[in-house]
Amino acid sequence: MIDLKGINDVVIRFATVNGTGSASANNMFAKAVYKMGVPVTPKNIFPSNIQGLPTWYEVRVSEKGYLGRREGIDILVAVNAQSFAKDVQSVRSGGYLMYDSTKLLADEDKRPDIHYIGIPMMEMCIAHYNDARTHLLMKNVIYVGALAALLGMEISVFENLIQEQFKKKEKLIPGNIQALHLGVDYALKNYSLLPYKIERRDLIGDRILIEGNNACGLGALFAGATVGSWYPITPSTSVMNAFEKWCYKFRVDPETGEHKFAIIQAEDELAAMGMVLGANWNGARSFTATSGPGVSLMSEFLGLSYFAEIPAVLIDVQRGGPSTGMPTRTQQSDLMIAAYASHGDTKHVLLFPSNPKECFDMTADAFDFAERYQTAILIMTDLDLGMNDHLSDPLQWDDSRMYKRGKVLTAVELESMKSFGRYQDVDGDGIPYRTIPGTHPTKGSYFTRGSSKDENAKYTEESEAYVRNVDRLAKKWLTIQKEIYPPEITINDKGSKKGLIFFGTSSYAAIEAIDLLAENGLHFNAMRLKAFPFTKEVLEFIDNHDEIYVIEQNRDAQCRTILITELNINPSKLKSVLNYDGFPITAQFISEKIITNR
Amino acid sequence: MTYQRPNFRHPDLPQNKIGFYRKDYEGALSTLCAGCGHDSISGAIIQACYEMAIEPHRLAKLSGIGCSSKTPAYFLGNSHGFNSVHGRMPSVATGAVMANKDLLYLGVSGDGDTASIGMGQFVHAIRRNLNILYIVMNNGCYGLTKGQDSATADQGSINKSGVENSFQGIDLIGLGLELGATFLARSFSGDKSQLIPLIKAGLSHPGFALIDVISPCVTFNNNVGSTKSYDYTREHIEATGSIDLVPYKSEITHSQIDGTTQIITLHDESSIQVHKLSQDWDPTSKISAYNKMHEAKTVKEILTGLIYIDTESKDLHSVLKTSKKPLNALTESDLCPGNDALAKICAGMR
Ligand SMILES: Cc1ncc(C[n+]2csc(CCOP(=O)(O)OP(=O)(O)O)c2C)c(N)n1
Ligand code: SF4
Ligand SMILES: [Mg+2]
């Protein structure tokens, strides 16, 4: 049998049934690794279903601090009868399978190349607890205890987590601690410690564990969003849920009970986007969150935002497409529709967060950008980032920061102006001045419309006026290009002409892949894209390298296509590494693709 | 705030009580067909706002797409306007209303804009009791795309090409009653004396006020056999009565009051006087409204006037408990919890 081992380097997968309380036990395991000072990356793999279908929870522990997924399941905790046979096959050769030995293993589930750890979970539950619901819940805590013991983890860390979790339901604490120890004791009595170990380190610093969607919700709260409208869709729902939760905590007047926010569950995504435009037009910061199908529906309004120049913030938590696709799997496959949503010559600003801190910062910045550029800003996150806990630098807010509301004229300014033309390019940057309804009794009113207009917002079908207007919009796009986030460029080897381009959640794996490739003597420099339009540094990086791979999580190389068309790049210059199976891309996948395709 | 009034004054027309002339409520020159019902409705809107002495910048007008939805360019030129996309004005209005509770909102739509492509948003705006006056300029056809039948065209109505409409027409007022709308009225573009007070009452109503105005399309649906033509409408109209909006604290003129007058007191203590043509119904009663509508339908009459009003109407802002200060006027200090709070939040994620 293959001899696997590792200290703080292991991948554990829990195969459970959703709706049985396993999620909180699995979470506790990941949190314990974190509490022991060791970098951890948990991933939820769940079905588009509420109860009864298989779910998996995968935990990667990495002393080196790699935060992407890693291929190869070292230890599998298989407690779902339905998926058991398949789960057994998924363990890597030489790996370990922990199962409930209350029932005997079937012959076809016995593999000669893996180790079996049988824990009589249900038997112990029945012996110690009374009702069926408790049996189900305690079974989860028993396997966590057994696993922790065999990995040599500190059991006191788990006890503390249980105390914390049930602070408000103290009655439940003794039962849970008992279950933990049932697992610990049985495992230590019947098995020897595994060759995998999780040992205490001090590698976390001040980092936190947070889901990207929660960070987006907080970003909107801090940036002063007051109107949120949305239509439920996985995996974006928890963005508005988070925003709402934080609003209830911070935006309800303790004396009057007044709300300094309004959240509306719209009838569909068209309406959600319409409300965002209406509110922003009327001077309130407003946003929505959705996923691919919602972006499709919002397209007409996104075009209106572009052409009538109305600020909007849209958080697109991408999932597997096309159509309904794989609602509970991750992808980066909305780039094309997001960049060019709606008919006619339309373009939108995209931001690409790659960790929760960036989800927070970019969401907050998006409101400033939307108002400065008077257009829609789309934050391109995804299911992996949004719905999983990530180890992230703590979120920070500069208390001296003021909201940048852009070129909005006040009543006093209007009073002193000779004339106001809503679509006049006064400053030569393509960005016109706007007014908010209700500002001045006789000055500054205009008619907002999605049809062609002149500098004074008057309807016109005159070609010259139309061309002047759309050319100004193109000029505004150039201003955005100068001011938006440049990419993050890492030069690992000054002499190297090899480069990787990536963005968003592909970044974790890409950064690790650079190390794997270096072990193979291939030294790559890196460019992480943070925004579209691409700033001049993007073209410079491409010009300075001659073997370039664009890493992305979609089938059609959408980012590569946009780079080629927007920057006029020779297509043969950009090769692709594409992962689109719905699971977060891994470093192994990237390095193997590059090595075999060279 | 100080500002310069334009020098030109029409000598005959008086200023209203805040010093504006009727002209200040006008807009650009209409480009609709001569005789289009929509232009008459624009005129009624101008007159109502002038008489109510609304500060033009305290009202925002919104519309969808269609000949009808173009009209906001032709009235209230000093008010901000938003010509959105086809059928989606209710959502844009919802966002706008949420952003600033202190303005008045006037939505203008067509029967195509409302009853077909925009039906989803329309019913949800009613459900939420959005604080807006929503006027449907109802001509039974799609004017702007050259006269196709709309969803409000009556079954059996004959269009300009001589084709009989075989589908059920949607009755927006009946639908509104079903959905729990809090203010429902129907009128006719050719009857300004009825329409102007209805517009005033609708603007004063705290919640969703729907006025379905029959507004003939002279170019595509004014032919013999059409049930939305001027002639047909005039022949079949049945008014429930006329109304007057009596602003808060003004005198009720007793001479107008007789046995069929009903006084409905509104939330702000202004009131509506309804001069009813018959005593046997009550616009504050839903059942009464249902009965009256069904009676009219069976005899193929077009019932106009104030059809239903809920005097206890609670608008979306009250339901959502939004702050007295409009959301768009809140600043960093109202909205941002600050870095100490954020540090605490982060501490909870360790
Ligand atoms: C998405 C979309 N589909 C179709 C159209 C074309 N269109 C413009 S106006 C209109 C119908 C308008 O009818 P109605 O609302 O009754 O207005 P009217 O012109 O009769 O006043 C249509 C179908 C459009 N503008 N947008
Ligand atoms: S086509 Fe009909 S609705 Fe349109 S402007 Fe002419 S008369 Fe009015
Ligand atoms: Mg029409």
Side-chain angles (χ1 to χ4, degrees):
Chain A
M1 202 177 293
I2 299 173
D3 212 8
L4 296 172
K5 59 172 182 282
I7 295 174
N8 293 337
D9 182 8
V10 60
V11 172
I12 300 154
R13 186 183 269 197
F14 300 87
T16 48
V17 184
N18 66 348
T20 58
S22 57
S24 81
N26 300 343
N27 263 317
M28 176 166 67
F29 180 82
K31 197 74 190 249
V33 177
Y34 167 87
K35 289 274 185 192
M36 286 176 64
V38 182
V40 60
T41 302
K43 303 269 179 234
N44 289 296
I45 305 159
F46 59 100
S48 182
N49 191 65
I50 302 305
Q51 207 185 18
L53 282 189
T55 55
W56 294 271
Y57 187 74
E58 201 176 282
V59 178
R60 178 181 186 187
V61 180
S62 168
E63 171 124 9
K64 286 187 180 157
Y66 293 133
L67 300 180
R69 257 184 82 230
R70 197 203 74 190
E71 273 159 50
I73 298 160
D74 302 313
I75 303 170
L76 192 120
V77 179
V79 288
N80 179 0
Q82 198 188 340
S83 63
F84 193 82
K86 249 180 127 180
D87 289 332
V88 171
Q89 298 309 317
S90 70
V91 183
R92 73 192 284 193
S93 196
Y96 292 79
L97 183 102
M98 181 178 282
Y99 68 102
D100 184 355
S101 57
T102 308
K103 235 181 93 190
L104 281 180
L105 267 188
D107 280 346
E108 62 271 24
D109 291 331
K110 290 179 182 153
R111 270 173 64 184
D113 63 329
I114 62 171
H115 306 272
Y116 286 82
I117 306 166
I119 310 281
M121 305 170 195
M122 201 34 100
E123 194 184 306
M124 289 196 275
C125 283
I126 293 168
H128 292 89
Y129 304 97
N130 292 327
D131 62 296
R133 180 70 193 154
T134 314
H135 294 160
L136 222 57
L137 292 173
M138 292 307 162
K139 186 175 161 181
N140 303 321
V141 185
I142 289 176
Y143 71 64
V144 167
L147 182 67
L150 295 180
L151 287 166
M153 294 176 75
E154 295 168 16
I155 302 306
S156 60
V157 169
F158 289 87
E159 290 171 347
N160 291 343
L161 286 170
I162 290 174
Q163 307 264 7
E164 221 173 274
Q165 188 185 342
F166 297 110
K167 235 181 351 212
K168 288 190 185 126
K169 294 182 226 156
E170 273 187 28
K171 268 202 291 198
L172 298 178
I173 294 174
N176 274 275
I177 299 227
Q178 182 190 18
L180 181 77
H181 282 285
L182 285 172
V184 172
D185 295 345
Y186 185 91
L188 292 181
K189 209 162 127 203
N190 295 283
Y191 295 93
S192 48
L193 293 185
L194 299 183
Y196 289 105
K197 281 199 169 38
I198 294 179
E199 286 178 3
R200 181 170 284 278
R201 293 285 184 275
D202 187 11
L203 298 169
I204 298 291
D206 62 353
R207 283 184 285 178
I208 57 175
L209 271 179
I210 180 175
E211 292 180 357
N213 283 355
N214 194 2
C216 285
L218 278 166
L221 176 86
F222 276 70
T226 51
V227 180
S229 67
W230 66 300
Y231 187 80
I233 182 169
T234 303
S236 72
T237 297
S238 50
V239 172
M240 204 53 82
N241 288 344
F243 178 67
E244 184 169 31
K245 176 182 109 183
W246 296 119
C247 280
Y248 271 98
K249 190 162 159 69
F250 291 106
R251 297 259 195 91
V252 178
D253 190 298
E255 274 149 39
T256 61
E258 283 185 354
H259 291 187
K260 293 174 194 158
F261 63 94
I263 295 172
I264 299 180
Q265 187 183 316
E267 51 274 31
D268 54 35
E269 287 86 348
L270 281 82
M273 198 42 150
M275 291 178 201
V276 170
L277 293 190
N280 275 293
W281 172 77
N282 213 4
R285 289 191 154 187
S286 172
F287 76 108
T288 184
T290 190
S291 192
V295 179
S296 292
L297 288 184
M298 289 173 183
S299 290
E300 188 185 25
F301 265 132
L302 284 167
L304 181 67
S305 161
Y306 175 80
F307 199 49
E309 301 182 66
I310 302 164
V313 173
L314 163 58
I315 298 169
D316 177 9
V317 189
Q318 298 167 89
R319 66 187 211 182
S323 188
T324 305
M326 291 205 285
T328 60
R329 298 284 185 270
T330 199
Q331 261 180 7
Q332 299 177 306
S333 53
D334 291 351
L335 259 63
M336 293 289 267
I337 192 177
Y340 306 111
S342 201
H343 50 278
D345 292 325
T346 306
K347 290 185 187 195
H348 306 289
V349 179
L350 314 181
L351 307 180
F352 305 116
S354 65
N355 56 55
K357 183 167 169 32
E358 282 189 343
C359 285
F360 177 80
D361 291 338
M362 288 186 177
T363 303
D365 287 351
F367 288 92
D368 284 353
F369 292 152
E371 293 201 291
R372 164 143 178 81
Y373 304 123
Q374 301 173 26
T375 196
I377 310 290
L378 286 78
I379 299 160
M380 305 301 291
T381 156
D382 61 27
L383 181 144
D384 179 19
L385 182 50
M387 292 189 70
N388 289 312
D389 272 330
H390 291 251
L391 200 56
S392 166
D393 285 335
L395 314 180
Q396 275 168 339
W397 185 261
D398 174 1
D399 284 332
S400 68
R401 174 172 175 167
M402 302 298 281
Y403 302 152
K404 299 192 188 84
R405 306 299 308 260
K407 300 185 186 182
V408 179
L409 295 170
T410 63
V412 177
E413 285 165 333
L414 280 168
E415 193 56 56
S416 63
M417 284 170 73
K418 277 212 191 68
S419 68
F420 163 68
R422 169 67 179 97
Y423 298 107
Q424 237 152 39
D425 185 10
V426 179
D427 302 326
D429 55 6
I431 307 169
Y433 284 79
R434 65 180 184 127
T435 54
I436 307 293
T439 303
H440 190 288
T442 54
K443 292 183 172 182
S445 69
Y446 69 97
F447 201 44
T448 300
R449 55 174 106 234
S451 42
S452 58
K453 57 240 164 207
D454 66 12
E455 284 79 354
N456 295 317
K458 291 240 153 39
Y459 178 77
T460 180
E461 287 169 7
E462 267 176 40
S463 301
E464 294 81 8
Y466 170 83
V467 169
R468 276 201 310 278
N469 188 43
V470 292
D471 285 351
R472 181 185 51 76
L473 284 165
K475 191 179 191 186
K476 176 162 97 174
W477 186 254
L478 290 180
T479 301
I480 301 173
Q481 189 176 24
K482 281 188 207 117
E483 297 178 356
I484 206 76
Y485 303 139
E488 183 182 85
I489 292 174
T490 312
I491 302 296
N492 298 307
D493 178 350
K494 268 202 180 131
S496 172
K497 290 274 176 196
K498 293 191 251 307
L500 297 185
I501 299 177
F502 49 86
F503 58 94
T505 50
S506 301
S507 306
Y508 295 125
I511 289 164
E512 184 179 350
I514 288 172
D515 290 353
L516 294 180
L517 290 162
E519 285 167 18
N520 286 280
L522 300 171
H523 298 282
F524 276 87
N525 295 323
M527 174 163 71
R528 179 166 73 86
L529 301 171
K530 290 171 75 177
F532 173 73
F534 305 121
T535 63
K536 66 175 190 323
E537 290 85 352
V538 175
L539 185 58
E540 281 165 18
F541 182 89
I542 293 172
D543 282 345
N544 291 337
H545 292 82
D546 51 25
E547 183 183 348
I548 304 174
Y549 296 86
V550 185
I551 300 164
E552 46 189 318
Q553 301 184 59
N554 59 66
R555 185 194 65 188
D556 290 346
Q558 298 186 21
C559 182
R560 174 178 176 271
T561 304
I562 299 175
L563 284 164
I564 288 169
T565 47
E566 293 287 332
L567 301 178
N568 206 11
I569 308 226
N570 181 343
S572 65
K573 193 155 183 191
L574 300 182
K575 293 183 193 142
S576 274
V577 176
L578 303 169
N579 173 72
Y580 44 89
D581 64 0
F583 284 87
I585 193 169
T586 66
Q588 294 74 26
F589 178 87
I590 296 171
S591 68
E592 270 163 37
K593 282 273 173 214
I594 290 177
I595 289 167
T596 53
N597 286 344
R598 294 188 82 230
Chain B
M1 205 181 309
T2 58
Y3 51 89
Q4 294 275 306
R5 303 281 319 127
N7 289 324
F8 173 78
R9 305 228 196 295
H10 197 292
D12 305 330
L13 284 167
Q15 287 173 302
N16 63 15
K17 67 171 194 267
I18 55 166
F20 286 98
Y21 292 85
R22 189 181 185 280
K23 188 181 152 293
D24 297 319
Y25 296 88
E26 289 170 0
L29 226 54
S30 170
T31 58
L32 302 183
C33 309
C36 174
H38 302 350
D39 277 335
S40 310
I41 303 172
S42 295
I45 292 169
I46 291 168
Q47 191 63 25
C49 293
Y50 163 70
E51 287 176 12
M52 282 178 89
I54 290 170
E55 293 176 278
H57 71 302
R58 307 306 297 168
L59 182 148
K61 45 188 185 172
L62 300 104
S63 62
I65 296 289
C67 296
S68 37
S69 292
K70 285 183 179 189
T71 59
Y74 316 137
F75 57 78
L76 304 183
N78 283 318
S79 304
H80 267 75
F82 194 141
N83 187 199
S84 67
V85 287
H86 196 21
R88 316 297 174 198
M89 176 266 281
S91 66
V92 175
T94 304
V97 172
M98 284 299 102
N100 187 355
K101 56 165 47 163
D102 283 355
L103 301 187
L104 291 172
Y105 294 90
L106 170 60
V108 172
S109 179
D111 42 317
D113 201 59
T114 289
S116 289
I117 192 168
M119 184 58 110
Q121 300 209 339
F122 172 69
V123 300
H124 285 275
I126 292 182
R127 241 186 96 228
R128 296 189 187 104
N129 203 18
L130 190 71
N131 194 3
I132 187 172
L133 166 58
Y134 190 105
I135 295 178
V136 180
M137 301 183 171
N138 189 348
N139 54 17
C141 73
Y142 292 4
L144 194 58
T145 51
K146 295 196 183 293
Q148 299 83 356
D149 286 345
S150 82
T152 65
D154 295 309
Q155 198 168 35
S157 180
I158 292 165
N159 69 18
K160 200 182 176 186
S161 348
V163 181
E164 188 179 315
N165 175 36
S166 28
F167 303 111
Q168 282 293 340
I170 293 174
D171 179 342
L172 294 172
I173 300 297
L175 181 69
L177 260 184
E178 213 46 77
L179 292 168
T182 54
F183 180 111
L184 293 163
R186 177 171 286 135
S187 192
F188 171 42
S189 63
D191 185 358
K192 275 196 193 167
S193 64
Q194 183 195 53
L195 182 53
I196 292 168
L198 283 175
I199 292 173
K200 291 185 193 172
L203 281 171
S204 312
H205 176 72
F208 196 91
L210 172 66
I211 311 181
D212 178 20
V213 190
I214 309 297
S215 177
C217 170
V218 288
T219 306
F220 296 113
N221 200 15
N222 198 31
N223 48 287
V224 175
S226 159
T227 61
K228 293 277 192 297
S229 68
Y230 278 111
D231 287 348
Y232 185 94
T233 308
R234 285 207 181 94
E235 282 156 24
H236 292 80
I237 209 156
E238 221 262 310
T240 57
S242 63
I243 68 158
D244 284 315
L245 179 74
V246 185
Y248 173 51
K249 277 186 176 161
S250 37
E251 294 261 320
I252 292 178
T253 42
H254 289 277
S255 61
Q256 290 169 0
I257 298 186
D258 54 33
T260 57
T261 300
Q262 181 178 355
I263 297 176
I264 303 168
T265 307
L266 301 179
H267 67 113
D268 60 353
E269 287 172 42
S270 57
S271 59
I272 297 177
Q273 281 182 25
V274 189
H275 312 289
K276 298 185 289 191
L277 294 183
S278 76
Q279 238 174 342
D280 63 344
W281 80 289
D282 171 5
T284 63
S285 153
K286 246 189 201 182
I287 304 212
S288 178
Y290 274 120
N291 291 341
K292 195 86 187 147
M293 288 205 6
H294 283 293
E295 279 167 27
K297 226 180 210 163
T298 34
V299 294
K300 293 208 162 30
E301 270 170 348
I302 304 165
L303 189 70
T304 61
L306 178 65
I307 290 168
Y308 175 69
I309 182 166
D310 176 356
T311 52
E312 305 286 297
S313 170
K314 261 184 95 183
D315 85 320
L316 184 55
H317 274 291
S318 354
V319 173
L320 295 182
K321 301 197 190 87
T322 50
S323 59
K324 261 201 209 71
K325 198 170 169 189
L327 294 178
N328 73 352
L330 300 174
T331 61
E332 286 85 351
S333 61
D334 300 305
L335 300 174
C336 184
N339 194 45
D340 285 349
L342 190 55
K344 275 204 199 98
I345 292 170
C346 289
M349 294 167 179
R350 290 208 172 92

